[in-house]
Amino acid sequence: MKDRQCLIVGGGEVAARKLKHLLKAQSKVTMVSLDFCDEVLALAKQNQVTLIEGEYQSELLEGMYLVIAATDDRMANRIVSIVAQERNIWVNVVDDLELSTFIMPAVIDRSPLLIAVSSSGVSPVLARKIREKIEWLLPTALGKLLNKLKKLRPEVKKKFRRMSEKKRFSEWYIDTAIANPEKIESNNVELFELFESKINHKGKVSLVGAGPGDPELLTVKALKLIQTADVVLYDALVSQEILEQVRKDAKLIHVGKRCNKHFVTQDNTNQLLVDYAQQGLEVVRLKGGDPFIFGRGGEELQYLKASDIDFQVVPGITAAAGCASYAGIPLTHRDYSQSVRFITAHEKGENSRIDWKSLAAENQTLVFYMGLGKSQQITEKLISFGKSHSTPVALIEKGTTKEQRVVTGELHELPSLVEHYQVQAPALIVVGEVTQLANELAWHPNSELIQSEPYLSNELLERVANL
Ligand SMILES: C[S@@+](CC[C@H](N)C(=O)[O-])C[C@H]1O[C@@H](n2cnc3c(N)ncnc32)[C@H](O)[C@@H]1O
């Protein structure tokens, strides 16, 4: 559009918006209208647009490359369109697909990179929203990167003879520059040296938290990594929707405890990570929630460290934080809870190392991971160490997913709640006054909230009486 003659018929706000697009493209614009809005007048004052005050005449189309009809008179717009089409001039009629021979997409401008999003005129609002989403995902400094690639091109051609080498360098450089924008400025000699030192490098493992289930709770960094990794090893807790984000040609390996009835041991997983990284591949180890919270992330890293493999860790939203938020349970609250404890009900070995006495103290929130099968023991232990049997509790099943269920009740009835409502894994047990707020603050449209009827199971009543 640069230096092309364009005509806008109309002088209101819509016309002003179109004018700004054309000016951005450095077109030469004339506008015709009986009157003009302030914004247009201001631009005319700066000599950016020529204004013709008066009625539209078809002679004005003479020499025009493109015309936009932006009046609120449909008949007038129609006339502009018909005449323009007769003369093979591109025409766009605002909000009128039938009368237009072209439409204007929503544009992401990181010149020289341009991305246009079009809904074929059906919904400019949707196109704009998609543009915003893309914009958010795009790395910064893309324009700068493209300019650098343009300058690098002749040297790359000289330096690498084989097509595969050129491709490998370009891929490496683009990934490196996106991850470290400051590298864009490096001089070419430095870049080639860096590439050469990396070319024989071992791969890297990224230990990535996938969050509790809702794919939108993935971090931007996690998303970028799973979209670029060569290999992704994932656990049973990682949802299908998240796995769909993985690069299509990446190798996806399920290392859940029970995968196709084969028992994948922790040692097997550790070794796979090392093997793939040693092949020079970018490996993502994807875990539910946060990798450092009851996720054996630490053990895997120790193994990688011992094998001299590079790694990085990307935190994820842990189940306690994600599920409590989606259930409307604030984990702390100035009136009820001054601290929060994350506890695993699944311990290594026979002897429990859980300090039940301190867990029974007041004014705190307890979140038990992997506790479904231990609800009886949790209840008995807490009550025996002095926790009130009527302490509010909540069970959160498949938190943050479309199937989230929240069951609230009192501590003494916890095992019967699990049984009665057939609560399934993965689930969290939350103990503390804050859980009663779920009845007031539940907000998630897909979540089912079940408030248990206040009752005491006879068996538990007896046990409590005997404590
Ligand atoms: C092995 S731990 C992994 C925890 C994970 N690293 C994290 O930070 O959330 C698995 C336990 O996390 C809890 N969990 C994970 N995702 C959950 C979800 N969407 N809803 C409820 N509980 C969940 C359950 O208690 C499950 O047994």
Side-chain angles (χ1 to χ4, degrees):
M1 294 304 303
K2 195 173 174 202
D3 294 332
R4 303 267 193 195
Q5 294 288 348
C6 302
L7 177 71
I8 299 177
V9 184
E13 279 167 19
V14 180
R17 233 179 18 241
K18 301 284 177 183
L19 170 65
K20 281 191 278 183
H21 285 305
L22 291 178
L23 290 180
K24 203 163 179 203
Q26 301 178 38
S27 306
K28 302 230 177 310
V29 189
T30 304
M31 286 179 100
V32 57
S33 177
L34 291 174
D35 55 301
F36 299 96
C37 68
D38 291 347
E39 205 172 351
V40 172
L41 290 172
L43 289 166
K45 229 177 180 175
Q46 298 162 16
N47 292 328
Q48 296 205 48
V49 51
T50 310
L51 302 186
I52 301 175
E53 204 175 333
E55 298 276 356
Y56 155 79
Q57 311 284 338
S58 52
E59 294 77 63
L60 290 172
L61 291 177
E62 202 59 52
M64 291 297 165
Y65 179 77
L66 172 156
V67 55
I68 293 173
T71 76
D72 42 21
D73 177 346
R74 188 155 198 256
M75 197 40 128
N77 288 345
R78 199 181 177 82
I79 293 168
V80 175
S81 168
I82 291 168
V83 181
Q85 289 190 49
E86 271 170 7
R87 299 186 188 183
N88 284 332
I89 298 172
W90 293 100
V91 57
N92 173 264
V93 176
V94 171
D95 281 341
D96 201 327
L97 209 52
E98 269 174 44
L99 294 180
S100 303
T101 59
F102 78 95
I103 49 176
M104 288 171 123
V107 172
I108 300 162
D109 184 357
R110 306 271 177 94
S111 291
L113 178 79
L114 284 178
I115 300 173
V117 182
S118 166
S119 64
S120 302
V122 177
S123 173
V125 177
L126 178 66
R128 206 190 63 228
K129 283 193 181 293
I130 293 172
R131 181 197 68 193
E132 282 163 8
K133 279 209 162 181
I134 297 176
E135 192 122 34
W136 161 246
L137 282 177
L138 287 180
T140 47
L142 269 184
K144 243 190 195 173
L145 172 60
L146 261 180
N147 281 323
K148 174 77 177 181
L149 283 168
K150 197 171 162 189
K151 280 191 213 141
L152 258 176
R153 227 175 148 179
E155 294 219 27
V156 172
K157 266 189 174 167
K158 251 194 269 162
K159 173 125 188 117
F160 305 104
R161 293 187 168 267
R162 278 186 287 154
M163 195 61 200
S164 58
E165 283 178 325
K166 281 180 214 154
K167 189 166 167 250
R168 199 156 174 210
F169 172 80
S170 300
E171 279 187 1
W172 167 83
Y173 174 64
I174 291 170
D175 287 344
T176 308
I178 286 175
N180 316 283
E182 72 282 355
K183 290 250 165 24
I184 298 176
E185 308 293 353
S186 312
N187 71 45
N188 297 353
V189 178
E190 269 169 28
L191 279 178
F192 290 134
E193 274 172 15
L194 192 60
F195 175 65
E196 253 137 54
S197 71
K198 288 275 170 184
I199 202 160
N200 301 319
H201 85 308
K202 284 177 283 177
K204 181 174 180 178
V205 176
S206 301
L207 183 60
V208 179
D214 180 350
E216 299 217 332
L217 291 181
L218 268 182
T219 60
V220 177
K221 193 160 191 172
L223 182 62
K224 281 184 189 161
L225 282 166
I226 62 177
Q227 286 176 339
T228 53
D230 301 307
V231 190
V232 176
L233 292 94
Y234 66 97
D235 281 345
L237 273 180
V238 178
S239 71
Q240 189 52 37
E241 284 156 300
I242 289 177
L243 294 176
E244 277 163 20
Q245 307 297 322
V246 171
R247 204 181 85 190
K248 294 293 168 258
D249 54 345
K251 206 177 174 90
L252 250 182
I253 304 167
H254 184 186
V255 289
K257 295 275 164 45
R258 281 201 182 277
C259 133
N260 298 333
K261 302 215 170 74
H262 295 297
F263 194 74
V264 183
T265 61
Q266 187 62 52
D267 285 346
N268 294 147
T269 305
N270 294 346
Q271 196 51 49
L272 281 175
L273 292 174
V274 170
D275 291 347
Y276 283 119
Q278 278 173 342
Q279 289 168 32
L281 299 173
E282 291 300 318
V283 185
V284 162
R285 172 71 176 106
L286 193 58
K287 285 171 174 284
D290 180 88
F292 276 181
I293 295 189
F294 310 133
R296 302 197 182 176
E299 293 169 41
E300 288 175 17
L301 292 194
Q302 285 172 310
Y303 197 90
L304 294 173
K305 180 94 190 153
S307 310
D308 198 23
I309 302 287
D310 285 350
F311 57 78
Q312 64 172 337
V313 186
V314 179
I317 294 181
T318 188
C323 301
S325 295
Y326 275 44
I329 299 174
L331 289 176
T332 66
H333 187 294
R334 286 196 298 170
D335 294 338
Y336 309 112
S337 168
Q338 275 60 47
S339 67
V340 56
R341 310 270 295 260
F342 297 167
I343 308 122
T344 170
H346 184 85
E347 293 187 90
K348 203 172 173 181
E350 291 285 288
N351 298 329
S352 172
R353 280 184 272 178
I354 296 176
D355 178 3
W356 292 101
K357 186 161 183 273
S358 74
L359 292 185
E362 294 303 298
N363 299 101
Q364 59 177 337
T365 307
L366 311 177
V367 185
F368 289 92
Y369 286 65
M370 295 168 275
L372 266 193
K374 300 278 173 80
S375 61
Q376 184 88 38
Q377 186 199 353
I378 292 171
T379 305
E380 285 176 8
K381 285 281 191 196
L382 288 176
I383 292 178
S384 70
F385 278 93
K387 196 97 183 152
S388 163
H389 72 272
S390 60
T391 307
V393 297
L395 284 148
I396 309 175
E397 177 190 76
K398 299 186 180 137
T400 80
T401 71
K402 292 187 187 105
E403 298 157 88
Q404 172 173 297
R405 234 176 15 141
V406 181
V407 182
T408 60
E410 294 182 353
L411 178 59
H412 64 87
E413 54 183 356
L414 184 62
S416 35
L417 293 179
V418 173
E419 203 184 306
H420 184 74
Y421 294 105
Q422 293 286 297
V423 180
Q424 306 291 319
L428 286 179
I429 296 172
V430 190
V431 180
E433 303 295 321
V434 287
T435 59
Q436 65 195 344
L437 290 167
N439 302 323
E440 189 187 326
L441 302 179
W443 59 271
H444 199 270
N446 291 327
S447 177
E448 186 186 351
L449 175 64
I450 303 167
Q451 282 171 262
S452 81
E453 296 295 325
Y455 70 92
L456 290 176
S457 78
N458 288 337
E459 192 201 344
L460 266 165
L461 261 181
E462 235 169 74
R463 282 171 180 268
V464 172
N466 293 334
L467 287 173

